Amino acid sequence: GKVMEKPNILMIISHDTGRYLGSYGKKVDTPELNQLAEEGIQFDNYFCSQPQCSPSRASILTGMYGHNHGMLGLGHMGHSIKKDRKTIPSEMNKVGYETHLFGFFHEAIDGELDASKLGYQNVVEVPGNAASKVTDKVEAFLTERSNTDKQTPFYASVGFEETHLPVDHFEPDPIDSVEVPPYLPASEGVKNDIAHFHGSVKELDKAVGRIKKKLEKTGLDKNTILIYTTDHGIPFPRAKGTLFDAGLETALIMKFPEGVSKQGMNKQELLCNVDLMPTLLEIVGAEVPEEVDGYSFLPLIEQKTTYQERDSFFCELTWHDKYHPMRGIRTREYKYIRNFEDGPKVYLPLDIHESLAGQDVRAEYYVPNTQEELYDLKNDPLEQNNLAYEGKYE
């Protein structure tokens, strides 16, 4: 079916969660997000273009690759979106939306970490950005919203600190019950970190459930699109901060009001997070800026036969806490990575380097990198076998 005119949009964005959810086949208890996936559309091949926080979030916001929006590293280290770049909220404002930010954001623009400069008209800051505390504010907003006669549609970005490290303060799952990601050793340190990570994922899940219930209770669900996504892969070695799929894979679940789109669909098409901004702008009837790198996938959501899947996307990392420039391209079948500086074979962002899991893999990962990497994703999904130097792949 057709997507409605001027719906509200509420987008929850968590921190470092990858696709670590039950609905994506991970062995973690996420009943609320699973239900959201059952009632909505889950995109199974949605990736970010940059495996670290600010640059990836800036790509979501602008629909552009990092080298085009300009934010090539973290906001608090002086990196920033270029000043004239259009964003989801700036363009929604132009078509009569009221734009809100609750909690976490990490994008600077024109040198300033200032959410109103990004285009948000209303900014609610929450010290620490814990999901439960941010959700308190969101619930209050939704209740107030349902009690006014306001006809103005809203766009709300809801940012949680979960599931960023540290996660030691969360109640862990029993250490022997966890499944270790197949690209990591099943060491004590890795298992311990995964067990605590589960606690953080569950906390995130609870908050999503509260928001979903509040939308239903207020009746706002009848004209609100609820979106859940995250910025990049999980905060574990060989994931966040790398151009392997584990660093680039991200969850995206969209629930439309009843009767608007088919329920419980899983989409396998290759998507990149630069595609979200043009999609949302098309949904609200805003003009998609010519300079964006992404393509609207609204035709995919509406199941139009005219939809053409992208054949590849670019990925990049320049700075996290260190300068480590890499560029890559991923198609359905292959991943090509070019390393522009000598460095470790697998880069570990500082928080991961210091984690127990990070300590367990340093010896293996801190060997010299090669200039080029090529992986056959069909036969080698864990990207362990570099084919770049084999003649037949030249």
Side-chain angles (χ1 to χ4, degrees):
K2 195 88 178 82
V3 169
M4 58 211 302
E5 290 290 297
K6 303 261 189 289
N8 302 317
I9 298 177
L10 193 155
M11 180 152 91
I12 300 168
I13 177 159
S14 66
H15 210 7
D16 296 27
T17 315
R19 295 186 194 137
Y20 205 87
L21 306 173
S23 62
Y24 280 93
K26 301 296 186 289
K27 202 180 158 188
V28 61
D29 201 17
T30 54
E32 301 293 350
L33 281 154
N34 297 356
Q35 191 191 355
L36 192 66
E38 275 163 35
E39 294 175 359
I41 305 172
Q42 176 169 298
F43 298 88
D44 288 343
N45 279 298
Y46 179 74
F47 294 89
C48 66
S49 65
Q50 293 164 105
Q52 80 280 45
C53 177
S54 305
S56 173
R57 287 163 183 269
S59 287
I60 294 169
L61 215 56
T62 63
M64 297 174 117
Y65 290 125
H67 54 274
N68 289 333
H69 62 59
M71 189 156 206
L72 293 175
L74 298 178
H76 63 275
M77 294 179 78
H79 295 277
S80 173
I81 299 171
K82 294 170 188 169
K83 81 160 181 264
D84 55 348
R85 295 294 180 258
K86 299 179 165 104
T87 66
I88 294 172
S90 80
E91 301 316 284
M92 296 246 175
N93 292 339
K94 289 178 188 169
V95 290
Y97 270 69
E98 198 181 273
T99 52
H100 296 260
L101 172 76
F102 295 90
F104 190 88
F105 78 102
H106 212 231
E107 308 92 324
I109 191 159
D110 194 19
E112 288 183 69
L113 269 164
D114 177 344
S116 59
K117 289 224 160 84
L118 294 167
Y120 295 105
Q121 297 161 350
N122 305 279
V123 178
V124 176
E125 289 186 33
V126 180
N129 300 307
S132 62
K133 293 199 163 71
V134 175
T135 299
D136 289 343
K137 303 284 190 197
V138 175
E139 286 183 330
F141 162 72
L142 294 173
T143 300
E144 183 199 0
R145 226 10 242 227
S146 66
N147 291 332
T148 65
D149 308 331
K150 262 199 189 142
Q151 295 306 303
T152 336
F154 67 82
Y155 169 76
S157 175
V158 176
F160 297 151
E161 180 67 31
E162 285 83 355
T163 54
H164 198 282
L165 299 181
V167 290
D168 336 0
H169 53 294
F170 292 104
E171 182 73 36
D173 273 353
I175 196 159
D176 295 324
S177 73
V178 302
E179 225 168 61
V180 171
Y183 49 86
L184 289 176
S187 66
E188 279 312 294
V190 170
K191 278 164 52 179
N192 177 79
D193 285 0
I194 292 279
H196 280 90
F197 186 65
H198 279 209
S200 184
V201 172
K202 287 171 159 179
E203 188 65 18
L204 155 69
D205 188 66
K206 264 195 293 215
V208 171
R210 281 174 59 194
I211 291 172
K212 189 168 168 294
K213 283 188 188 69
K214 182 59 82 174
L215 282 168
E216 285 159 9
K217 203 176 157 197
T218 55
L220 287 167
D221 61 319
K222 295 187 179 36
N223 61 342
T224 301
I225 300 170
L226 179 58
I227 302 171
Y228 166 73
T229 191
T230 188
D231 45 10
H232 51 71
I234 61 175
F236 281 84
R238 226 181 166 277
K240 177 184 177 174
T242 76
L243 299 184
F244 298 122
D245 276 3
L248 301 175
E249 62 184 19
T250 43
L252 176 64
I253 302 170
M254 300 176 82
K255 180 183 188 292
F256 290 83
E258 236 170 281
V260 169
S261 78
K262 282 224 165 53
Q263 315 270 324
M265 282 198 298
N266 284 58
K267 292 290 188 190
Q268 302 307 322
E269 285 76 2
L270 184 66
L271 295 170
C272 179
N273 71 352
V274 295
D275 298 331
L276 189 56
M277 181 248 204
T279 305
L280 297 183
L281 294 189
E282 197 184 338
I283 285 173
V284 303
E287 214 169 300
V288 176
E290 255 167 47
E291 66 272 18
V292 305
D293 295 310
Y295 306 97
S296 166
F297 54 92
L298 183 58
L300 172 66
I301 293 168
E302 293 182 335
Q303 298 185 282
K304 295 220 170 93
T305 47
T306 51
Y307 176 73
Q308 283 195 314
E309 184 183 358
R310 57 162 63 244
D311 56 12
S312 62
F313 68 87
F314 290 103
C315 49
E316 59 190 290
L317 182 132
T318 307
W319 283 91
H320 195 73
D321 31 71
K322 282 197 170 78
Y323 182 57
H324 191 84
M326 306 184 274
R327 297 289 181 267
I329 184 166
R330 188 196 191 281
T331 65
R332 275 265 181 206
E333 281 157 22
Y334 291 95
K335 165 91 55 66
Y336 172 79
I337 299 169
R338 174 83 160 76
N339 294 298
F340 288 94
E341 295 269 322
D342 293 339
K345 182 180 169 190
V346 179
Y347 172 59
L348 302 182
L350 186 61
D351 54 345
I352 296 167
H353 167 89
E354 289 179 340
S355 68
L356 295 176
Q359 292 170 42
D360 287 353
V361 296
R362 282 180 206 168
E364 190 193 338
Y365 292 171
Y366 287 175
V367 297
N369 60 1
T370 55
Q371 199 173 38
E372 294 183 288
E373 299 171 60
L374 178 71
Y375 301 101
D376 175 342
L377 301 172
K378 287 271 182 283
N379 296 310
D380 176 27
L382 299 179
E383 299 163 287
Q384 315 238 303
N385 183 17
N386 183 6
L387 305 170
Y389 298 95
E390 291 187 22
K392 67 175 184 174
Y393 292 94
E394 205 160 342

